[in-house]
Amino acid sequence: MGRIVFVEVMNRRHRVSERIRVDSFPAAIGRAYTNDIILDDSYVSETHAVLTCDEEGTLHLKDGGSKNGIRREGQSNKVSDLEISGEATVRIGRTLLRIRESSYGVTPALAEQSQYGFFQRITRTGSLAFLAFIASFVMIYGYDFIRSYERFSPSHVLGSVLAGVMLFALWSGVWSLINRLVAHSFCFLKHMAVAGVIALCLTAAYTADEYVLFLFSPGYAYIYFELAGLAAIFAMALYAHTAIISHAPRRRSAITACIVAIFIFSFTSIFFSLGRSEFSRNLDYEANLKPLGKDWIYSISNTEFFEGLEILKNEVDSMAGEL
């Protein structure tokens, strides 16, 4: 068996779009149908280059009298005869070619993931993704309708639903555009499904937060716990969207998403702390009434209440005296 090389046609993202086996020399490369390797590129001549192998087994890529010449990748100078040792990447016209010998080593195979993750399951098909989004959307707005104290108004409900759909569509559209740029496909319904599930998680977290505020009245430090919860949901959203775009290992994607979320919310916490004043004209308390039995609500006696009030008064007077 003679010398075997492979000529790979690369796309603009340096990914292989076509791989051609060459086992006889010389092999002509050009736009004409008489060539061994045909390139659909208006800037490529009829017979642009010739791939040869000399008596010593050395590969050469020679210019075949082309108009635009041969250039190494990243270089502007034209070459008439390029010696190829192991691997070479060249530009012919506006086409990027990578030439490799058959003995070129490849990276080890990635371990196949035996099971789909949660988000991969619900976004495997467009119809399943659409059903996941509809289910999440109905549960979110159904819960919002149940907890509302306002009189039912069809126009208000319709406006709220349309606003929600537009918000979901905008968020999913941005991720779909990124998907198109990276993976050459939109996957809009899959990103919509992820957005619906994440919004459902946010609704559940917000509801739990309301109950905690109502029952326990936690201090100022609880705000950082809230930010940590938002960071976790944000990391989950990043992981889910990037899992649709890329086929990288799930563990690496999850770690990357966590690092980005921690970085963003760390800066948010710092700016929040710097902007907080020691004194405020507003009462630092916010909670919504919740339908709970009296045994679930924390209560204190009148004596404990007035003792705590006296302690608070003394602390305020002491801080005012230091100013």
Side-chain angles (χ1 to χ4, degrees):
M1 182 180 294
R3 190 75 172 272
I4 298 175
V5 299
F6 289 88
V7 177
E8 298 171 333
V9 182
M10 315 296 289
N11 62 20
R12 60 179 181 175
R13 301 191 180 281
H14 285 216
R15 295 178 180 175
V16 178
S17 61
E18 186 179 3
R19 183 176 285 115
I20 302 128
R21 176 190 174 105
V22 178
D23 54 12
S24 62
F25 301 92
I29 303 172
R31 193 154 45 91
Y33 288 95
T34 56
N35 293 288
D36 300 287
I37 300 173
I38 303 171
L39 302 178
D40 186 15
D41 184 347
S42 301
Y43 295 87
V44 171
S45 300
E46 292 184 2
T47 300
H48 197 109
V50 179
L51 185 62
T52 64
C53 181
D54 61 22
E55 297 178 354
E56 298 178 355
T58 304
L59 291 172
H60 292 265
L61 183 66
K62 298 180 179 180
D63 195 326
S66 65
K67 185 174 183 178
N68 293 313
I70 302 172
R71 294 178 175 86
R72 278 188 176 273
E73 183 187 16
Q75 297 181 6
S76 59
N77 296 330
K78 297 179 182 180
V79 293
S80 58
D81 187 344
L82 177 65
E83 182 178 333
I84 299 171
S85 177
E87 176 187 5
T89 303
V90 298
R91 187 171 296 279
I92 293 178
R94 292 191 175 180
T95 302
L96 194 64
L97 298 180
R98 185 170 65 191
I99 303 171
R100 282 179 171 175
E101 298 189 52
S102 58
S103 58
Y104 187 87
V106 297
T107 58
L110 297 175
E112 185 178 10
Q113 300 189 21
S114 57
Q115 294 181 349
Y116 288 99
F118 171 74
F119 288 103
Q120 286 85 351
R121 288 192 184 96
I122 66 173
T123 59
R124 268 187 291 177
T125 63
S127 57
L128 188 60
F130 181 73
L131 290 176
F133 167 73
I134 293 297
S136 302
F137 192 82
V138 169
M139 284 189 285
I140 291 169
Y141 277 88
Y143 172 75
D144 186 63
F145 173 75
I146 292 172
R147 66 194 291 269
S148 176
Y149 295 102
E150 299 178 1
R151 179 176 296 180
F152 175 76
S153 171
S155 60
H156 174 74
V157 173
L158 182 61
S160 178
V161 170
L162 289 177
V165 170
M166 290 179 63
L167 184 62
F168 278 115
L170 179 62
W171 174 267
S172 304
V174 172
W175 280 105
S176 297
L177 180 60
I178 297 173
N179 207 128
R180 179 66 179 85
L181 294 174
V182 174
H184 306 287
S185 60
F186 283 103
C187 300
F188 180 77
L189 288 178
K190 294 184 178 183
H191 288 290
M192 282 282 280
V194 169
V197 173
I198 295 301
L200 189 60
C201 293
L202 280 172
T203 302
Y206 179 72
T207 304
D209 182 63
E210 286 184 326
Y211 275 98
V212 170
L213 291 174
F214 177 64
L215 287 173
F216 305 109
S217 301
Y220 176 77
Y222 180 71
I223 295 175
Y224 295 101
F225 180 79
E226 293 177 319
L227 288 175
L230 287 175
I233 296 176
F234 182 73
M236 185 168 60
L238 284 180
Y239 163 72
H241 284 297
T242 54
I244 297 173
I245 298 172
S246 172
H247 296 288
R250 291 205 301 264
R251 178 178 297 179
R252 187 173 68 183
S253 299
I255 292 174
T256 303
C258 289
I259 291 174
V260 173
I262 291 172
F263 180 79
I264 292 175
F265 281 88
S266 295
F267 273 95
T268 302
S269 301
I270 292 172
F271 285 118
F272 185 82
S273 300
L274 293 176
R276 180 175 178 264
S277 176
E278 189 174 4
F279 292 97
S280 175
R281 295 180 179 180
N282 300 320
L283 183 63
D284 192 14
Y285 176 79
E286 180 182 358
N288 296 320
L289 294 177
K290 293 295 173 185
L292 288 172
K294 64 178 182 178
D295 295 334
W296 287 83
I297 302 175
Y298 175 72
S299 61
I300 59 175
S301 65
N302 292 338
T303 304
E304 291 175 322
F305 174 77
F306 285 108
E307 287 178 353
L309 190 62
E310 184 65 26
I311 293 173
L312 180 61
K313 177 180 179 301
N314 293 334
E315 290 179 354
V316 172
D317 291 340
S318 175
M319 294 174 68
E322 294 176 358
L323 296 177

